[in-house]
Protein backbone atom coordinates (compact mmCIF):
# COMPACT_ATOMS: atom_id res chain seq x y z
CA UNK A 1 0.00 0.00 0.00
CA UNK A 2 1.21 3.48 -0.83
CA UNK A 3 0.63 5.66 2.20
CA UNK A 4 0.83 8.84 0.12
CA UNK A 5 -2.37 8.01 -1.79
CA UNK A 6 -4.10 11.32 -2.59
CA UNK A 7 -6.92 12.36 -0.26
CA UNK A 8 -10.35 11.87 -1.84
CA UNK A 9 -13.43 11.89 0.37
CA UNK A 10 -15.87 8.97 0.22
CA UNK A 11 -13.72 7.05 -2.20
CA UNK A 12 -13.04 3.38 -1.75
CA UNK A 13 -9.48 2.67 -0.64
CA UNK A 14 -8.27 -0.13 -2.89
CA UNK A 15 -6.30 -3.01 -1.47
CA UNK A 16 -5.27 -6.40 -2.76
CA UNK A 17 -6.75 -9.80 -1.99
CA UNK A 18 -3.42 -11.05 -0.76
CA UNK A 19 -3.17 -8.23 1.80
CA UNK A 20 -4.36 -9.66 5.11
CA UNK A 21 -4.34 -7.55 8.20
CA UNK A 22 -4.82 -7.77 11.91
CA UNK A 23 -5.08 -5.63 14.99
CA UNK A 24 -4.90 -6.60 18.63
CA UNK A 25 -6.73 -4.64 21.30
CA UNK A 26 -6.98 -4.62 25.07
CA UNK A 27 -10.26 -5.61 26.76
CA UNK A 28 -11.80 -2.18 26.08
CA UNK A 29 -11.00 -2.21 22.36
CA UNK A 30 -7.95 0.04 22.58
CA UNK A 31 -5.48 -0.83 19.83
CA UNK A 32 -2.27 -2.43 21.14
CA UNK A 33 -0.73 -3.62 17.90
CA UNK A 34 -1.36 -4.39 14.27
CA UNK A 35 0.48 -5.05 11.05
CA UNK A 36 1.67 -2.59 8.42
CA UNK A 37 -1.26 -3.13 6.05
CA UNK A 38 -3.68 -2.34 8.89
CA UNK A 39 -1.86 0.91 9.60
CA UNK A 40 -1.32 2.05 6.02
CA UNK A 41 -4.90 1.34 4.86
CA UNK A 42 -6.21 3.43 7.75
CA UNK A 43 -4.00 6.36 6.60
CA UNK A 44 -3.20 7.10 10.25
CA UNK A 45 0.37 7.11 11.49
CA UNK A 46 1.41 4.50 14.02
CA UNK A 47 1.52 7.24 16.66
CA UNK A 48 -2.09 8.10 15.96
CA UNK A 49 -3.44 4.58 15.79
CA UNK A 50 -1.58 2.77 18.57
CA UNK A 51 -3.33 3.13 21.95
CA UNK A 52 -6.34 4.72 20.29
CA UNK A 53 -9.80 3.16 20.66
CA UNK A 54 -10.75 1.06 17.66
CA UNK A 55 -13.73 3.32 17.04
CA UNK A 56 -11.18 5.74 15.54
CA UNK A 57 -11.86 4.08 12.19
CA UNK A 58 -15.59 3.65 12.66
CA UNK A 59 -17.53 4.56 9.53
CA UNK A 60 -20.85 6.42 10.09
CA UNK A 61 -22.59 4.00 7.67
CA UNK A 62 -21.92 1.08 10.02
CA UNK A 63 -25.00 0.00 12.00
CA UNK A 64 -24.41 0.17 15.75
CA UNK A 65 -26.28 -3.13 15.99
CA UNK A 66 -23.34 -4.94 14.38
CA UNK A 67 -20.92 -3.63 17.02
CA UNK A 68 -23.43 -4.41 19.75
CA UNK A 69 -23.51 -8.02 18.53
CA UNK A 70 -19.72 -8.08 18.21
CA UNK A 71 -19.11 -6.93 21.77
CA UNK A 72 -21.88 -9.09 23.20
CA UNK A 73 -20.34 -12.16 21.55
CA UNK A 74 -16.65 -11.56 22.29
CA UNK A 75 -17.27 -10.48 25.88
CA UNK A 76 -18.93 -13.87 26.41
CA UNK A 77 -15.67 -15.45 25.24
CA UNK A 78 -16.90 -16.43 21.77
CA UNK A 79 -15.52 -15.63 18.31
CA UNK A 80 -17.45 -13.64 15.74
CA UNK A 81 -17.15 -12.92 12.04
CA UNK A 82 -18.63 -9.74 10.57
CA UNK A 83 -18.51 -7.45 7.58
CA UNK A 84 -17.21 -4.02 8.62
CA UNK A 85 -16.96 -0.78 6.66
CA UNK A 86 -14.14 1.37 7.96
CA UNK A 87 -13.22 5.01 7.58
CA UNK A 88 -9.63 5.99 6.91
CA UNK A 89 -8.18 9.26 8.13
CA UNK A 90 -8.31 10.75 4.64
CA UNK A 91 -12.04 10.01 4.24
CA UNK A 92 -11.64 6.90 2.15
CA UNK A 93 -13.67 3.85 3.15
CA UNK A 94 -12.78 0.18 2.92
CA UNK A 95 -14.74 -2.98 3.61
CA UNK A 96 -13.34 -6.00 5.42
CA UNK A 97 -14.57 -9.33 6.67
CA UNK A 98 -13.27 -9.41 10.24
CA UNK A 99 -12.89 -12.44 12.49
CA UNK A 100 -12.65 -11.21 16.06
CA UNK A 101 -11.58 -13.62 18.77
CA UNK A 102 -10.92 -13.25 22.49
CA UNK A 103 -7.20 -13.42 23.29
CA UNK A 104 -5.31 -13.13 26.55
CA UNK A 105 -5.76 -9.55 27.80
CA UNK A 106 -8.06 -8.48 24.96
CA UNK A 107 -9.13 -9.33 21.45
CA UNK A 108 -7.62 -10.11 18.07
CA UNK A 109 -9.19 -9.18 14.76
CA UNK A 110 -7.94 -10.71 11.51
CA UNK A 111 -9.37 -9.32 8.29
CA UNK A 112 -9.61 -10.13 4.65
CA UNK A 113 -10.99 -8.37 1.60
CA UNK A 114 -14.59 -9.48 1.00
CA UNK A 115 -15.99 -10.21 -2.47
CA UNK A 116 -18.55 -13.01 -2.21
CA UNK A 117 -22.18 -12.79 -3.35
CA UNK A 118 -23.41 -12.71 0.25
CA UNK A 119 -21.38 -9.51 0.80
CA UNK A 120 -23.60 -7.59 -1.64
CA UNK A 121 -26.75 -8.74 0.19
CA UNK A 122 -25.24 -7.70 3.52
CA UNK A 123 -24.46 -4.16 2.31
CA UNK A 124 -28.16 -3.70 1.62
CA UNK A 125 -29.11 -5.09 5.06
CA UNK A 126 -26.65 -2.76 6.75
CA UNK A 127 -28.01 0.28 4.90
CA UNK A 128 -31.56 -0.57 6.06
CA UNK A 129 -30.42 -1.17 9.63
CA UNK A 130 -28.46 2.06 9.82
CA UNK A 131 -31.37 3.97 8.34
CA UNK A 132 -33.70 2.58 11.02
CA UNK A 133 -31.16 3.44 13.74
CA UNK A 134 -30.93 7.03 12.54
CA UNK A 135 -34.51 7.78 11.50
CA UNK A 136 -36.44 5.66 14.03
CA UNK A 137 -33.99 5.80 16.90
CA UNK A 138 -33.72 2.00 16.96
CA UNK A 139 -31.39 0.94 19.80
CA UNK A 140 -28.19 -1.01 19.02
CA UNK A 141 -29.61 -4.09 20.77
CA UNK A 142 -32.86 -3.92 18.81
CA UNK A 143 -30.87 -3.30 15.64
CA UNK A 144 -28.83 -6.47 16.31
CA UNK A 145 -32.10 -8.39 16.74
CA UNK A 146 -33.34 -6.97 13.42
CA UNK A 147 -30.11 -8.06 11.75
CA UNK A 148 -30.77 -11.63 12.92
CA UNK A 149 -34.36 -11.37 11.59
CA UNK A 150 -33.11 -10.12 8.22
CA UNK A 151 -30.67 -13.01 8.06
CA UNK A 152 -33.46 -15.46 8.94
CA UNK A 153 -35.37 -14.10 5.91
CA UNK A 154 -32.30 -14.94 3.82
CA UNK A 155 -32.48 -18.51 5.15
CA UNK A 156 -29.97 -18.39 8.01
CA UNK A 157 -31.12 -20.03 11.25
CA UNK A 158 -28.96 -17.76 13.37
CA UNK A 159 -26.17 -15.20 13.17
CA UNK A 160 -23.72 -18.07 13.83
CA UNK A 161 -24.99 -19.96 10.80
CA UNK A 162 -24.63 -16.80 8.72
CA UNK A 163 -21.09 -15.99 9.83
CA UNK A 164 -19.93 -19.57 9.24
CA UNK A 165 -21.17 -19.47 5.68
CA UNK A 166 -20.01 -15.88 5.05
CA UNK A 167 -16.47 -16.64 6.23
CA UNK A 168 -16.20 -19.78 4.13
CA UNK A 169 -17.58 -18.00 1.06
CA UNK A 170 -15.07 -15.19 1.55
CA UNK A 171 -12.20 -17.64 1.99
CA UNK A 172 -13.19 -19.45 -1.23
CA UNK A 173 -13.82 -16.21 -3.18
CA UNK A 174 -10.41 -14.92 -2.09
CA UNK A 175 -8.72 -18.18 -3.16
CA UNK A 176 -10.37 -17.81 -6.54
CA UNK A 177 -9.19 -14.19 -6.94
CA UNK A 178 -5.69 -15.30 -6.06
CA UNK A 179 -5.84 -18.17 -8.55
CA UNK A 180 -5.51 -20.78 -5.80
CA UNK A 181 -7.31 -24.10 -5.81
CA UNK A 182 -10.04 -24.29 -3.24
CA UNK A 183 -8.91 -25.73 0.08
CA UNK A 184 -9.95 -29.40 0.33
CA UNK A 185 -11.48 -28.96 3.77
CA UNK A 186 -13.74 -26.18 2.44
CA UNK A 187 -15.02 -28.60 -0.22
CA UNK A 188 -15.66 -31.21 2.47
CA UNK A 189 -17.54 -28.69 4.61
CA UNK A 190 -19.63 -27.60 1.62
CA UNK A 191 -20.75 -31.23 1.22
CA UNK A 192 -21.40 -31.50 4.96
CA UNK A 193 -23.49 -28.34 4.94
CA UNK A 194 -25.47 -29.65 1.97
CA UNK A 195 -26.11 -32.97 3.76
CA UNK A 196 -27.13 -31.09 6.91
CA UNK A 197 -29.58 -29.07 4.81
CA UNK A 198 -31.00 -32.31 3.35
CA UNK A 199 -31.41 -33.69 6.87
CA UNK A 200 -33.29 -30.60 7.99
CA UNK A 201 -35.57 -30.85 4.96
CA UNK A 202 -36.30 -34.57 5.56
CA UNK A 203 -36.95 -34.22 9.30
CA UNK A 204 -39.20 -31.21 8.92
CA UNK A 205 -41.12 -33.00 6.16
CA UNK A 206 -41.62 -36.04 8.42
CA UNK A 207 -42.72 -33.78 11.30
CA UNK A 208 -45.18 -31.93 8.99
CA UNK A 209 -46.80 -35.06 7.60
CA UNK A 210 -47.05 -36.54 11.09
CA UNK A 211 -48.79 -33.48 12.40
CA UNK A 212 -51.21 -33.45 9.42
CA UNK A 213 -52.12 -37.09 10.11
CA UNK A 214 -52.62 -36.80 13.84
CA UNK A 215 -56.38 -37.14 13.36
CA UNK A 216 -56.17 -40.73 12.05
CA UNK A 217 -56.48 -42.60 15.40
CA UNK A 218 -59.46 -40.51 16.49
CA UNK A 219 -61.20 -40.97 13.14
CA UNK A 220 -60.55 -44.70 13.31
CA UNK A 221 -62.02 -44.78 16.81
CA UNK A 222 -65.15 -42.89 15.75
CA UNK A 223 -65.55 -45.18 12.79
CA UNK A 224 -65.15 -48.28 14.89
CA UNK A 225 -67.85 -47.02 17.28
CA UNK A 226 -70.21 -46.36 14.37
CA UNK A 227 -69.72 -49.89 13.08
CA UNK A 228 -70.86 -51.41 16.39
CA UNK A 229 -69.66 -54.96 17.19
CA UNK A 230 -68.06 -55.56 13.82
CA UNK A 231 -65.94 -52.50 14.43
CA UNK A 232 -64.30 -53.88 17.59
CA UNK A 233 -61.08 -55.07 15.86
CA UNK A 234 -60.78 -51.66 14.23
CA UNK A 235 -61.15 -50.06 17.68
CA UNK A 236 -58.26 -52.20 18.91
CA UNK A 237 -56.18 -51.20 15.91
CA UNK A 238 -56.95 -47.58 16.62
CA UNK A 239 -55.82 -47.99 20.27
CA UNK A 240 -52.53 -49.52 19.13
CA UNK A 241 -52.05 -46.81 16.59
CA UNK A 242 -52.74 -44.16 19.24
CA UNK A 243 -50.10 -45.73 21.45
CA UNK A 244 -47.48 -45.64 18.70
CA UNK A 245 -48.59 -42.22 17.59
CA UNK A 246 -48.02 -40.91 21.12
CA UNK A 247 -44.58 -42.45 21.14
CA UNK A 248 -43.80 -40.85 17.79
CA UNK A 249 -45.05 -37.54 19.14
CA UNK A 250 -42.66 -37.83 22.09
CA UNK A 251 -39.75 -38.82 19.86
CA UNK A 252 -40.47 -36.22 17.18
CA UNK A 253 -39.28 -33.15 19.08
CA UNK A 254 -36.04 -34.91 20.05
CA UNK A 255 -35.62 -36.14 16.47
CA UNK A 256 -36.03 -32.60 15.08
CA UNK A 257 -33.89 -31.04 17.82
CA UNK A 258 -31.06 -33.54 17.26
CA UNK A 259 -31.15 -32.77 13.55
CA UNK A 260 -30.85 -29.03 14.25
CA UNK A 261 -27.95 -29.79 16.60
CA UNK A 262 -26.14 -31.59 13.76
CA UNK A 263 -26.63 -28.58 11.51
CA UNK A 264 -25.44 -26.15 14.21
CA UNK A 265 -22.39 -28.28 14.96
CA UNK A 266 -21.50 -28.26 11.25
CA UNK A 267 -21.75 -24.43 11.17
CA UNK A 268 -19.63 -24.09 14.29
CA UNK A 269 -16.99 -26.57 13.12
CA UNK A 270 -16.83 -24.84 9.74
CA UNK A 271 -16.38 -21.41 11.29
CA UNK A 272 -13.65 -22.63 13.66
CA UNK A 273 -11.83 -24.43 10.84
CA UNK A 274 -11.99 -21.38 8.56
CA UNK A 275 -10.88 -19.11 11.41
CA UNK A 276 -7.82 -21.28 12.09
CA UNK A 277 -7.07 -21.22 8.36
CA UNK A 278 -7.28 -17.42 8.05
CA UNK A 279 -5.18 -16.98 11.19
CA UNK A 280 -2.55 -19.28 9.64
CA UNK A 281 -2.57 -17.14 6.47
CA UNK A 282 -2.18 -13.94 8.51
CA UNK A 283 0.90 -15.46 10.17
CA UNK A 284 2.34 -16.38 6.76
CA UNK A 285 1.70 -12.85 5.52
CA UNK A 286 2.99 -11.07 8.64
CA UNK A 287 6.28 -12.93 8.77
CA UNK A 288 7.38 -11.44 5.44
CA UNK A 289 5.94 -7.99 6.07
CA UNK A 290 8.03 -4.93 6.75
CA UNK A 291 7.52 -3.99 10.35
CA UNK A 292 7.80 -0.75 12.24
CA UNK A 293 9.55 -0.11 15.53
CA UNK A 294 6.32 0.62 17.35
CA UNK A 295 5.18 -3.00 16.98
CA UNK A 296 7.31 -5.82 18.33
CA UNK A 297 7.05 -8.44 15.61
CA UNK A 298 8.26 -11.29 17.82
CA UNK A 299 5.67 -10.58 20.48
CA UNK A 300 2.86 -10.26 17.93
CA UNK A 301 3.98 -13.42 16.19
CA UNK A 302 3.77 -15.25 19.51
CA UNK A 303 0.23 -13.96 20.04
CA UNK A 304 -0.80 -14.96 16.53
CA UNK A 305 0.77 -18.42 16.79
CA UNK A 306 -0.81 -19.12 20.17
CA UNK A 307 -4.18 -18.00 18.86
CA UNK A 308 -3.85 -20.10 15.73
CA UNK A 309 -2.85 -23.13 17.78
CA UNK A 310 -5.83 -22.63 20.06
CA UNK A 311 -8.26 -22.32 17.13
CA UNK A 312 -6.78 -25.37 15.41
CA UNK A 313 -7.51 -27.33 18.58
CA UNK A 314 -10.98 -25.85 18.85
CA UNK A 315 -11.60 -26.74 15.20
CA UNK A 316 -10.68 -30.36 15.93
CA UNK A 317 -13.02 -30.36 18.93
CA UNK A 318 -15.68 -28.81 16.68
CA UNK A 319 -15.28 -31.69 14.24
CA UNK A 320 -15.56 -34.26 17.02
CA UNK A 321 -18.68 -32.46 18.21
CA UNK A 322 -20.18 -32.92 14.72
CA UNK A 323 -19.43 -36.66 14.98
CA UNK A 324 -21.13 -36.88 18.38
CA UNK A 325 -24.17 -34.98 17.16
CA UNK A 326 -24.47 -37.27 14.12
CA UNK A 327 -24.31 -40.23 16.51
CA UNK A 328 -27.09 -38.84 18.70
CA UNK A 329 -29.20 -38.06 15.67
CA UNK A 330 -28.64 -41.59 14.33
CA UNK A 331 -29.97 -42.97 17.62
CA UNK A 332 -33.13 -40.85 17.20
CA UNK A 333 -33.40 -42.18 13.65
CA UNK A 334 -33.09 -45.78 14.81
CA UNK A 335 -35.87 -45.19 17.34
CA UNK A 336 -38.06 -43.65 14.61
CA UNK A 337 -37.30 -46.66 12.39
CA UNK A 338 -38.53 -49.00 15.14
CA UNK A 339 -41.77 -47.01 15.40
CA UNK A 340 -42.12 -46.95 11.64
CA UNK A 341 -41.94 -50.76 11.56
CA UNK A 342 -44.65 -50.98 14.24
CA UNK A 343 -46.83 -48.65 12.18
CA UNK A 344 -46.36 -50.82 9.16
CA UNK A 345 -47.62 -53.87 11.08
CA UNK A 346 -50.68 -51.98 12.28
CA UNK A 347 -51.44 -50.75 8.80
CA UNK A 348 -51.27 -54.29 7.38
CA UNK A 349 -53.59 -55.63 10.10
CA UNK A 350 -55.89 -52.64 9.52
CA UNK A 351 -55.98 -53.41 5.83
CA UNK A 352 -56.94 -57.05 6.52
CA UNK A 353 -59.66 -56.09 9.02
CA UNK A 354 -61.01 -53.44 6.71
CA UNK A 355 -61.29 -55.97 3.88
CA UNK A 356 -63.35 -58.27 6.10
CA UNK A 357 -65.91 -55.54 6.78
CA UNK A 358 -68.60 -54.75 4.25
CA UNK A 359 -67.15 -51.82 2.34
CA UNK A 360 -70.50 -50.15 1.85
CA UNK A 361 -70.58 -49.65 5.64
CA UNK A 362 -67.28 -47.92 5.98
CA UNK A 363 -64.63 -45.72 4.49
CA UNK A 364 -61.92 -47.46 6.45
CA UNK A 365 -59.85 -47.98 3.33
CA UNK A 366 -59.52 -44.24 3.07
CA UNK A 367 -58.25 -43.93 6.67
CA UNK A 368 -55.90 -46.85 6.28
CA UNK A 369 -54.52 -45.20 3.13
CA UNK A 370 -53.83 -42.01 5.12
CA UNK A 371 -51.95 -44.15 7.60
CA UNK A 372 -50.04 -45.70 4.72
CA UNK A 373 -49.14 -42.29 3.36
CA UNK A 374 -47.59 -41.16 6.65
CA UNK A 375 -45.85 -44.46 7.07
CA UNK A 376 -44.30 -44.25 3.61
CA UNK A 377 -43.18 -40.62 4.14
CA UNK A 378 -41.60 -41.73 7.40
CA UNK A 379 -39.92 -44.77 5.81
CA UNK A 380 -38.64 -42.91 2.75
CA UNK A 381 -37.60 -39.92 4.86
CA UNK A 382 -35.63 -42.19 7.19
CA UNK A 383 -33.95 -43.86 4.22
CA UNK A 384 -32.85 -40.44 2.91
CA UNK A 385 -31.68 -39.46 6.39
CA UNK A 386 -29.60 -42.65 6.62
CA UNK A 387 -27.89 -41.82 3.32
CA UNK A 388 -27.14 -38.23 4.43
CA UNK A 389 -25.87 -39.48 7.81
CA UNK A 390 -23.53 -41.92 6.07
CA UNK A 391 -22.11 -39.20 3.82
CA UNK A 392 -21.67 -36.87 6.75
CA UNK A 393 -19.84 -39.48 8.80
CA UNK A 394 -17.38 -40.08 6.00
CA UNK A 395 -16.80 -36.33 5.41
CA UNK A 396 -16.25 -35.67 9.11
CA UNK A 397 -13.80 -38.57 9.28
CA UNK A 398 -11.86 -37.09 6.35
CA UNK A 399 -11.80 -33.66 8.04
CA UNK A 400 -10.72 -35.09 11.39
CA UNK A 401 -7.94 -37.03 9.66
CA UNK A 402 -6.73 -33.90 7.86
CA UNK A 403 -6.84 -31.72 10.96
CA UNK A 404 -5.20 -34.29 13.22
CA UNK A 405 -2.40 -34.62 10.65
CA UNK A 406 -1.97 -30.81 10.29
C1 LIG B 1 -10.45 -6.55 18.14
C2 LIG B 1 -11.45 -5.50 17.75
C3 LIG B 1 -11.46 -5.01 16.46
C4 LIG B 1 -12.36 -4.03 16.07
N1 LIG B 1 -12.31 -3.57 14.79
C5 LIG B 1 -13.11 -2.54 14.44
C6 LIG B 1 -13.01 -1.98 13.14
O1 LIG B 1 -12.25 -2.43 12.28
N2 LIG B 1 -13.82 -0.93 12.84
C7 LIG B 1 -14.70 -0.41 13.75
O2 LIG B 1 -15.39 0.56 13.43
N3 LIG B 1 -14.82 -0.95 14.98
C8 LIG B 1 -14.04 -1.98 15.34
N4 LIG B 1 -14.17 -2.52 16.59
C9 LIG B 1 -15.28 -2.08 17.46
C10 LIG B 1 -14.98 -0.77 18.16
O3 LIG B 1 -14.34 -1.05 19.38
C11 LIG B 1 -16.27 0.01 18.44
O4 LIG B 1 -17.15 -0.75 19.22
C12 LIG B 1 -16.98 0.44 17.16
O5 LIG B 1 -16.12 1.19 16.34
C13 LIG B 1 -18.24 1.29 17.44
O6 LIG B 1 -17.94 2.35 18.23
P1 LIG B 1 -18.80 2.62 19.54
O7 LIG B 1 -18.72 1.35 20.33
O8 LIG B 1 -18.17 3.76 20.19
O9 LIG B 1 -20.18 2.91 19.04
C14 LIG B 1 -13.28 -3.51 17.01
C15 LIG B 1 -13.29 -4.02 18.31
C16 LIG B 1 -12.39 -5.00 18.67
C17 LIG B 1 -12.42 -5.54 20.08
Amino acid sequence: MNQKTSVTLDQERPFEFDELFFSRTDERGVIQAGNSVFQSISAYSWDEILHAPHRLIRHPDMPRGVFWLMWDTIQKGNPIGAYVKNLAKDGCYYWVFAVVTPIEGGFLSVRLKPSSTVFEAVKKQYADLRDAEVTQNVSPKESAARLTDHLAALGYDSYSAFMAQALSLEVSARDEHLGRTKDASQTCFERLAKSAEDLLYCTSNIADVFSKNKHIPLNLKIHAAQLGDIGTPIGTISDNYTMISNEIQQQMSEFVRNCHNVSQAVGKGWFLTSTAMVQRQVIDFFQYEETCEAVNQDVEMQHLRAQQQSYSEQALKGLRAISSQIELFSQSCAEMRRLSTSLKVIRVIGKIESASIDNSLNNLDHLIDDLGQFQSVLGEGLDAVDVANKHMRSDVDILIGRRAAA
Side-chain angles (χ1 to χ4, degrees), residues 157-339:
D157 257 9
S158 59
Y159 188 84
S160 301
F162 159 74
M163 70 183 193
Q165 183 159 52
L167 175 57
S168 69
L169 287 173
E170 293 307 342
V171 165
S172 298
R174 180 171 172 269
D175 279 346
E176 211 175 311
H177 281 288
L178 294 172
R180 296 179 184 158
T181 41
K182 194 187 270 191
D183 185 89
S185 57
Q186 290 293 331
T187 312
C188 243
F189 266 114
E190 277 167 21
R191 283 201 305 264
L192 267 181
K194 172 77 184 69
S195 302
E197 209 178 286
D198 292 349
L199 285 186
L200 285 174
Y201 174 79
C202 289
T203 43
S204 81
N205 192 34
I206 289 172
D208 263 15
V209 177
F210 174 67
S211 120
K212 281 186 193 128
N213 285 287
K214 266 187 195 156
H215 63 278
I216 301 176
L218 183 64
N219 285 358
L220 273 176
K221 192 106 196 137
I222 293 169
H223 223 77
Q226 284 167 350
L227 289 170
D229 283 352
I230 56 164
T232 309
I234 297 294
T236 311
I237 287 166
S238 155
D239 289 343
N240 289 336
Y241 182 72
T242 304
M243 225 166 61
I244 294 170
S245 184
N246 288 342
E247 262 195 80
I248 293 179
Q249 169 95 46
Q250 280 164 19
Q251 281 297 319
M252 193 62 81
S253 46
E254 193 178 315
F255 178 63
V256 173
R257 194 176 50 247
N258 284 345
C259 181
H260 277 273
N261 288 345
V262 171
S263 165
Q264 275 169 16
V266 169
K268 194 169 174 194
W270 199 354
F271 184 78
L272 290 169
T273 302
S274 305
T275 295
M277 186 191 296
V278 175
Q279 289 170 341
R280 151 74 37 222
Q281 292 174 356
V282 170
I283 292 173
D284 293 344
F285 183 79
F286 185 48
Q287 67 184 345
Y288 296 114
E289 228 185 350
E290 264 183 46
T291 46
C292 72
E293 270 184 30
V295 174
N296 184 328
Q297 191 173 20
D298 291 343
V299 170
E300 293 317 312
M301 203 50 125
Q302 272 174 25
H303 279 300
L304 288 172
R305 288 214 169 101
Q307 192 74 343
Q308 204 277 335
Q309 175 70 28
S310 153
Y311 273 81
S312 281
E313 285 162 17
Q314 290 185 49
L316 187 55
K317 278 190 199 149
L319 290 170
R320 296 203 167 115
I322 302 174
S323 265
S324 317
Q325 292 300 343
I326 295 175
E327 216 32 67
L328 282 175
F329 181 57
S330 300
Q331 285 166 19
S332 293
C333 295
E335 189 55 20
M336 278 292 181
R337 183 76 77 185
R338 180 183 70 78
L339 295 166

Side-chain angles (χ1 to χ4, degrees), residues 25 29-32 46-56:
T25 71
V30 174
I31 300 167
Q32 304 297 305
W46 276 116
D47 279 351
E48 288 170 315
I49 209 162
L50 279 182
H51 309 297
H54 225 305
R55 78 171 71 84
L56 180 71

Side-chain angles (χ1 to χ4, degrees), residues 25 29 54-55 57-58 64 67 70-71 74 84 86 100 107-109 111:
T25 71
H54 225 305
R55 78 171 71 84
I57 54 168
R58 182 185 188 285
R64 290 196 180 281
F67 293 119
M70 181 188 280
W71 279 103
I74 59 178
V84 180
N86 280 328
V100 185
F107 305 101
L108 174 75
S109 172
R111 307 175 180 89

